[in-house]
Each structure stands twice: as C-alpha cells, then as structure tokens.
Amino acid sequence: MEVLHTIADFRRARAAFGELGFVPTMGYLHQGHLALVERARAECPAVAVSIFVNPTQFGPHEDFARYPRDTERDLALLAAAGVDLVFVPPVEEMYPPGFGTYVIQPAADEVLEGAARPGHFRGVATVVCKLFNIVQPTKSYFGQKDAQQTVVIRQMVRDLNIPVEIVVAPTVREPDGLALSSRNVYLTPAQRAAAPVLYRALRAAAERYAAGERSGEALRALMREVLAAEPLAKPEYVSVAHPLTLRELDQIGLEGALLSMAVRFDGVRLIDNWVLEGMR
C-alpha cells in the first residue's frame, strides 16, 4: 500500500493502475467505511482511499477543529483491507493560496442538510470534484447514511460529465440500529443509549408506509412523536421528501420517498435516513 501526500505523487502512483475503485473519507474510519472498501475491493482490480478532513464543508461554529482524527490507525485498517493507494493531502495541497473556484448547486442549499448547514454542499461538491480529477476513479463508493450528499454528487457527475460510476451502499448500523458515524465517539453513555431513537422513528414511519400510509405529514408527525418520547433528543428537522428533488411531500407517489432527520444530543448532531421504495 502506497501513502501519498501530494497531487503530483498520487498521479504518478495512479498511472500504474487501470480501473480503480475509490472511497473518499474524512478518516477516523469505522466499519461503514470498511464496508465500502470491501465492496470496492470486490468490484475493482485496485482500490484507492482518501483521508482528508475538508475545511470548506464545515461552518464557522461547527466541529472542524475537534473532528476526530487518527491517521495511523486508519492506515493500519486500510492496509489490512488490501487498499492499494491512500491519498492523505494537507489542507494547503487541496486549497493553495489564491484558490477561488467552487462547485455550487443552489437547490441543494435550500433543503435538509443544505438549509441547516449553509455552504456545506458547496464544500462537499468542490472537494469531491477535485478528488475525482486527482484520482480518476472508475467507480466511487458512498454510504446511504449521507443521503443528500449522494444526490448532490450524482447530479454533479451528470451535470459536469465526470466519467465515474457512483455506487451507494446501504447504511451500516450497530445492533441497536444506530447508524455508524465518526461523530458517535462524541456521545456520552446516556446519549449513546438514547441515540437509537432516530432509527426507531424511521422504522416506525417505514412500517406505517408499508401498511399503506401515503400522507407525508402523517409520517412526519409519527417520527416527531417517537423522537419526543426521548428527552435527550432535540430534532432539528424531520423530513418526508421526494427521493431526487428532496422537496417535502404532501402525498407519496410512485417514486417513493426519503425519510430523513437531524437530531441533536446537546452538542452532538446525528443524521439518519430511510428510503421508502416506490412502485416504479
């Protein structure tokens, strides 16, 4: 496994490989990341991973400075997983002095995570676009947990004609349903015990949908009710939205819907989602 820190060095190493699977990460890897690596390993003859905590996707009062980091541990996990190339650039390599070009999707900033975290998807789309240009992957792998991110990246790839196939893998969960996240390390024991309420709220709405409910507001109300039963959970938003436009739905149609939510446990913000399959 080669570990590269500059764009020039990575491109030289990349030239030795043909088809390449790519997993972009911010490090502090967990089993969700490793499941993406495993899938890339199964589908591609070579695999690259990036580790880069991207400052442009964090707001001024968010957790960039304290975001968990353990590069030595991450590299050991990736070596054991059979990764071929790891790109670990410093911030100044990705954003040198004078950097001033960004990828912007105005519609993404109006809903869900985009509305809650202004500028977040400008940072996400820009860094992923840069990584695609640097890595030149055949396929790139993302987790369903960051549902709106996958919608943004797929649209960017379509709009900018980037020759990469986007693969979205199911969310990996703890036995009690909590979605794996690097931010779970912030949770106190009491918050950790309360955090599976997100999964329970999503599952309750999915079961009601399976029983025939098609009212978006009825499902939103049900999820809010489940969350309200947990005193430590403070919902930021609860959504039943179109799976592509991410606009809120009054009635769920043939396309299905995306259930999603952001919930705070004091200073820890968790997100989760559930795809309701349509009848197309």
Side-chain angles (χ1 to χ4, degrees):
M1 185 178 82
E2 288 189 75
V3 181
L4 299 312
H5 299 277
T6 70
I7 295 169
D9 285 347
F10 185 89
R11 283 177 166 160
R12 278 193 288 271
R14 167 69 179 93
F17 297 92
E19 293 187 359
L20 186 71
F22 175 48
V23 181
T25 83
M26 293 206 301
Y28 211 73
L29 303 180
H30 52 65
Q31 190 55 45
H33 298 110
L34 297 178
L36 297 178
V37 171
E38 182 179 355
R39 181 160 175 182
R41 180 87 270 170
E43 297 181 358
C44 302
V47 176
V49 174
S50 63
I51 299 173
F52 180 64
V53 183
N54 176 37
T56 65
Q57 69 189 68
F58 289 81
H61 303 296
E62 294 185 348
D63 58 347
F64 173 72
R66 73 181 186 115
Y67 192 86
R69 297 163 170 86
D70 191 342
T71 304
E72 184 176 346
R73 169 184 167 275
D74 290 343
L75 293 176
L77 290 170
L78 295 175
V83 170
D84 299 281
L85 301 174
V86 185
F87 184 43
V88 192
V91 171
E92 58 271 19
E93 183 73 7
M94 295 297 283
Y95 300 108
F99 183 89
T101 301
Y102 294 88
V103 178
I104 300 172
Q105 290 183 23
D109 294 332
E110 297 173 357
V111 296
L112 305 180
E113 289 297 286
R117 304 178 65 188
H120 173 67
F121 285 115
R122 182 183 83 153
V124 169
T126 299
V127 77
V128 173
C129 186
K130 285 176 66 70
L131 288 168
F132 285 169
N133 282 329
I134 294 163
V135 175
Q136 298 287 300
T138 311
K139 296 183 177 183
S140 189
Y141 295 79
F142 297 85
Q144 175 61 34
K145 188 182 80 69
D146 296 300
Q148 189 173 6
Q149 174 178 274
T150 68
V151 172
V152 166
I153 291 168
R154 279 176 159 156
Q155 180 167 352
M156 178 185 74
V157 165
R158 287 195 304 269
D159 291 351
L160 299 183
N161 306 109
I162 301 174
V164 58
E165 178 184 343
I166 303 302
V167 180
V168 179
T171 300
V172 178
R173 300 181 180 277
E174 299 282 7
D176 60 7
L178 178 65
L180 296 189
S181 168
S182 298
R183 288 185 170 94
N184 290 351
V185 70
Y186 298 153
L187 295 167
T188 67
Q191 291 168 342
R192 173 61 187 84
V197 71
L198 280 78
Y199 175 72
R200 293 198 301 273
L202 293 166
R203 185 180 62 191
E207 290 173 351
R208 185 72 59 85
Y209 173 79
E213 181 62 74
R214 294 296 181 268
S215 165
E217 186 50 44
L219 296 180
R220 284 186 286 270
L222 175 59
M223 290 189 286
R224 292 190 195 104
E225 179 183 334
V226 175
L227 292 171
E230 174 47 67
L232 295 181
K234 307 300 180 187
E236 192 171 288
Y237 67 78
V238 172
S239 171
V240 179
H242 189 281
L244 297 180
T245 69
L246 303 182
R247 298 289 177 179
E248 293 301 313
L249 293 173
D250 294 325
Q251 287 290 127
I252 300 174
L254 297 179
E255 300 89 355
L258 176 72
L259 309 177
S260 67
M261 59 182 61
V263 180
R264 288 191 178 274
F265 296 83
D266 287 335
V268 185
R269 183 177 186 274
L270 301 181
I271 61 172
D272 203 351
N273 67 84
W274 191 301
V275 177
L276 301 180
E277 298 294 343
M279 303 296 290
R280 289 172 293 177

